[in-house]
Amino acid sequence: MSKRSLFALCVLFAIVVCSAGLALVHVRASARSADSPGYWGFDTANLDKTCKPCDDFFQFAMGGWMKNNPIPPEYSTWGSFTVLADKNQQALRQILEAAEKSQRPASSNERKVGDFYASCMDTASIETAGTKPIDAALQRIAETKNARELLALAAQLQRQGVGVMFRFTSNQDAKDSTQVIAMALQGGLGLPERDYYLRDDDKSKKLRDDYTKHVAKMFELLGDSSNKAETEGMTVLNLETSLAKASMSNVDLRDPDKTYHKMKLAEVQSLTPDLSWDSYLKTAGQAGVAEMNIAQPEFFKALDAQLTSTPLDDWKTYFRWHVLEADAPALPEKFVNEDFEFRGRIVTGAKQIQPRWKRCVQATDRNRCVQATDRNLGEALGQVYVQKYFPPEAKAHALEMVHNLIAALRDDLKTLPWVGPETRAQASAKLEAFTVKIGYPDKWRDYSALNVDRSSYLQNLQRGAEFDFQRRLNNIGKPVDRTEWGMTPPTVNAYNSSSMNEIVFPAGIIQPPFYDPKVDDAVNYGGMGAVIGHEITHGFDDHGSKFDGRGNLKNWWSADDLKNFKERARCVSDQFDGYVVDGDLHENGKLVLGESIADLGGLTISYAAYEKSLQGKPRPPDKDGFTPEQQFFPGWAQVWGANERLEFARLMANTNPHPLPRFRGNGPLSNMAQYARAFGCKQGDAMVREKVCKIW
Ligand SMILES: [Zn+2]
């Protein structure tokens, strides 16, 4: 979610709710094989020939696919990312089912992933245990006597993956990227984002009402009377609304200048006199922390005031709720189903819950709502995955493509008319300093401190959370480990980290339809090439451009060039403000700006790289009536082919820095003269914008 940008990590695509968003069943019927007729990396069955490329390219290129691939009931969106993630899941399932039978020692990674998966699949034991696995946490909450104890309890619960009050972790120091410092961030909400508590339209009010009822139902399932549960639902909503009011907006969260407030511990304590940081830090095992980045000081000031103004019993209700919410997937079926009813059905529009094995595969890979990080056993599982499914040739091919893309941006920077010599030199230096990571980490995570057994799924989840919490906190005060990865190898995604100045492509995405070594270059450049270009361009979007080549938050722009850049960026944000999602809900141009700049720049440099690759070679043949230049663009469209449920589309537009796939499919093309030329589109056509945006 948008929190990710605080960690200076820009991903390609965000699946908003992992528990219900990912997984499936029908894999496409049409075979993608190099020898089937008409196949050149783009399946002509995807086309909707009733639509003209100059009217709506996305519909033209993918309308057939979208018509023939309705969303399976257990999904809220169904497209290239989900189809591929689903395929990866089937592969992971085979690995896990073999690991379940492993006779290796309990300390081996193979046994750990097998035991973790087995404990998740063991529904008989989970039903027998009932709510006993959360008794200890509920007991601790009941025994809490004052605000100081509440803070210590918050630290204990956060360690185990329960998101109460705020978040505490470590991160690179944005202004000294060689060092890791402690970081405290706003948090503690049960709805997807701040504005869900504050908006006044009917749909938002209804969703809050549904949330309150859901909280009450979960309390009833726990054994509270319906009257008491109803009051508890209101208490949770009221308390979270106060936290939401003090929270930073998702647009501001993307601005690294607004979220950098490094303070000495004494300053933090005087900012928040009633938050007992000594008690918190001691329980978190971080008594020695001397300074930290308080990402949102206003939030912490408000939390501090609320700590004493809200009755302790209300806090206890709120804590109980978050234990229930976090642990629901590991409780008996009635809790799992009620959790799905709200988080899956109401929030994302999914019609039914995924089969258990899919939820268990995902849980073994990573925690359900920490998508970009590796909270459970992702690298242990990923190690086997890449041995089986990621040949060295794929890595070599992808690396070659990355170098071609970097070369294209290098050329572009030399000739870009709107930047002056100083800024140009700085931008070039930053580009040359990029680190590229492909496939999987060179150094695998060491899981020897993580115990896993088959006795309790919830305990495995808690230990996984504690292991990851501790791993992050252990880095505080130390130099940055540049070998770490922010995604697990099977993940169908990619990212750019501004603080690391690196671009990262997990093995999971280096596959068809993003990349296929057997198909025409044009399609690969339009797909994986543009994805690579997207990640490179993130280093120069409205967020990434604030970091220098060493990964430090430091302005390297001349005043004139920066003004010029902001004007050009404004063109893109205005463009996306204009896209209508549903009724009066539009894309939020400022929220999706970084991603939209990255798409536009990524396609532009990938197209240039493709053209360069043709130089000095015989011209490739037309395919199915597509010229070589035209073949580039369906490669892009098929990355974004997707159907979404309305609930999911609204959730994306309200919370996510990524525009909806349909706008990513068309938006950048309508700014590109290269596209208009390839398809003969003219001024006045919908795919040719009157005011063209161009940055990189
Ligand atoms: Zn991105």
Side-chain angles (χ1 to χ4, degrees), residues 152 155-156 159 168 279-287 469-470 473:
Q156 274 182 24
R159 278 184 84 82
F168 184 73
S279 170
Y280 178 87
L281 292 170
K282 207 172 137 207
T283 317
Q286 293 298 317
F469 188 84
Q470 200 57 54
L473 266 46

Side-chain angles (χ1 to χ4, degrees), residues 58 185 226 263 274 288 301 383 390 416 528 561 612 628 692:
F58 189 59
L185 306 107
S226 65
M263 298 178 199
D274 287 312
K301 266 159 71 179
Q383 208 169 343
F390 190 62
L416 210 56
M528 193 66 203
D561 291 337
K612 201 174 164 187
V692 165

Side-chain angles (χ1 to χ4, degrees), residues 9-14 493-496 531 534-535 538 541 594-596 598-599 640 657-659 664:
L9 206 142
C10 300
V11 306
L12 176 69
F13 174 74
N493 216 329
Y495 70 88
N496 171 309
V531 164
H534 171 102
E535 299 307 338
H538 267 315
D541 70 13
E595 298 303 327
S596 308
D599 282 346
W640 300 112
H658 299 81
R664 302 184 76 170

Side-chain angles (χ1 to χ4, degrees), residues 284-299:
Q286 293 298 317
V289 163
E291 61 179 7
M292 64 174 90
N293 178 22
I294 297 286
Q296 296 88 15
E298 293 308 313
F299 174 84

Side-chain angles (χ1 to χ4, degrees), residues 571-608:
C571 176
V572 176
S573 103
D574 288 349
Q575 177 187 1
F576 280 78
D577 272 339
Y579 290 132
V580 179
V581 175
D582 172 38
D584 56 5
L585 178 64
H586 287 222
E587 288 286 1
N588 177 348
K590 287 201 181 82
L591 180 61
V592 302
L593 182 56
E595 298 303 327
S596 308
I597 292 175
D599 282 346
L600 178 57
L603 267 169
T604 304
I605 62 172
S606 190
Y607 190 84

